[in-house]
Amino acid sequence: MGPRSLKASACGLTLVAVLAAGNGELPDPALLSAGNFTTLERGASAFSVPVATLDTERLAGFLKGREQFNEAWVVAPDPSGVWGLGPTFNEDRCARCHENNGRAAAVADHGEAELGALVRLSIPGQDEHGGPKPHPVYGDQLQNRGIAGRVPAEGRALVVYREHEASFADGETIVLRRPEVQLAEMQFGDPGAITMLSLRIAPAMVGLGLLEAVPEAALIAIAEQQGRHGISGRPNYVWDEEAGRMALGRFGWKAGQPNLRQQTASAFFGDIGATSHFFPEENCPDAQAQCRDIPSASKCGGQGGCTSNYRPEVVPSRLSNIALYLQALAVPARRDADDEITRRGERLFSAANCSACHVAEMKTGSKTAIASAANQVIRPYTDLLLHDMGDDLADGRPEYQASGREWRTPPLWGIGLLRAVNGHGDLLHDGRARNVTEAVLWHGGEAEASRDAFRALRKADREALVKFVESL
């Protein structure tokens, strides 16, 4: 398939190619969740469509990034994949955690954290840049896999759910579940009582390039406006490896990454065990001798065997291709927006002040990684800011300026298509909520008043609000 036919194929999938909906009229702008980055796809591939406005060169980069996103990593000299897996790791490719570019499922009761579920680790204190301080023996992420017969896995994380009943004002009850992490088969001993653990679920990836393109000043302005209304949203500031300075965090459950290149490099390093110019040394704490002693693929290549000459396992072109892939994923258009119940749900969403943090509308800036992303009105329903969500959602693990009770407001666009894309509706940072209703009931802290307003609604109104959220 040549570049011209590739371009036509991509455009055929996206909204821009079908904006003239038979009568020559454009759809209601409110349906365009992401401006010209919107797609009409609503099936299993709804999170996998490239934007239609990519030029031939960018489309080729997107397609290469998609290929590399799904490519397996292996241990050298295995010829079946990319060299550089491990020595310890969680999965062997990006797509294991982000199936169909969507959201990982919650860990089953008494199941093991894997396939997009993992456990972050740290101890009290901060690293040299103010980030979480890694555990001296296990690092900052528990790796449940190692190179077979050569490097042991660090251990396993099992999840057990504790259930309790919550009630609505009209007397209806619902069972909520809270996950508890239990570490098992820890290869290097008990990590100690001071170790902070945080169970995390891989999020969906649509619209990331647009969120990266929202100017910092716009997010600060939102924080200032919230402050005038008693909401204390604030940006996280994190270390930007390439710039060598602190920068506003946008990505991750606590906004711990400043951009998609670093987010990608961090995932390669933590999840797959692959080095890059961001993270050039293998992820092997001093106590893990077998991990440290195994030859690194970053020093083994071609016919020259293993040498002292370093090259990153994630070469710059691969990092750029995958970052472009993430930047160019289209966002599904809204559904059922004209439905009377959906409209009522939208009014109730606003009346409960959910929109204070899940900000409906933003605008991208003029300087963007993809030119067509500039100056787009988007409707992600997030502010990308940190908020205190109360004790019930707290993980007790700080991340840069985010406290153990604070989380970044997740975007809501595409949330109603999770079942179509991934076959489940598990929400929140650890997947404990099995649907939107449960997710709302876990809100506390700054969101407590909104949660209580939802609980006070009659059943039909609660269902309307949920239907609105699932239309996004």
Side-chain angles (χ1 to χ4, degrees), residues 32 35 99 109 126 149 198 241 258 291 322 395 397 399 421 447 454 462 467:
L32 302 184
E99 184 180 1
D109 192 22
Q126 296 179 322
S198 185
E241 289 283 348
C291 182
I322 292 180
D395 67 349
R397 182 178 181 270
E399 190 169 335
V421 173
F454 177 74
R462 296 197 302 271
K467 184 172 183 179

Side-chain angles (χ1 to χ4, degrees), residues 317-328:
S317 62
R318 179 180 293 269
L319 192 61
S320 296
N321 289 338
I322 292 180
L324 173 60
Y325 175 66
L326 300 180
Q327 289 164 338

Side-chain angles (χ1 to χ4, degrees), residues 128-129 238-245 257-259 262 277-280 400:
E128 59 182 322
H129 301 303
V238 304
W239 183 249
D240 185 322
E241 289 283 348
E242 284 191 308
R245 60 176 176 80
Q257 297 292 348
N259 54 59
Q262 185 164 313
H277 68 270
F278 283 86
F279 307 104
Y400 290 98

Side-chain angles (χ1 to χ4, degrees), residues 6 8-9 52 70 79 109 116 128 132 159 217 246 296 358-359 374 387 397 427 440 463 465:
L6 288 175
S9 175
N70 288 278
D109 192 22
E128 59 182 322
V159 174
M246 301 300 287
S296 169
H358 290 285
V359 176
H387 293 273
R397 182 178 181 270
L427 300 172
V440 174
E463 291 175 343
L465 191 153

Side-chain angles (χ1 to χ4, degrees), residues 446-463:
E446 294 177 52
E448 183 175 349
S450 295
R451 178 201 66 198
D452 289 347
F454 177 74
R455 292 176 65 175
L457 295 174
R458 61 191 181 97
K459 184 179 180 64
D461 287 339
R462 296 197 302 271
E463 291 175 343

Side-chain angles (χ1 to χ4, degrees), residues 6 21 72 83 142 195 268 275 296 302 338 361 380 392 413-414 437 449:
L6 288 175
W83 291 4
L142 184 68
T195 302
F268 267 119
T275 61
S296 169
D338 291 333
E361 189 172 292
D392 286 341
W413 51 14
T437 297

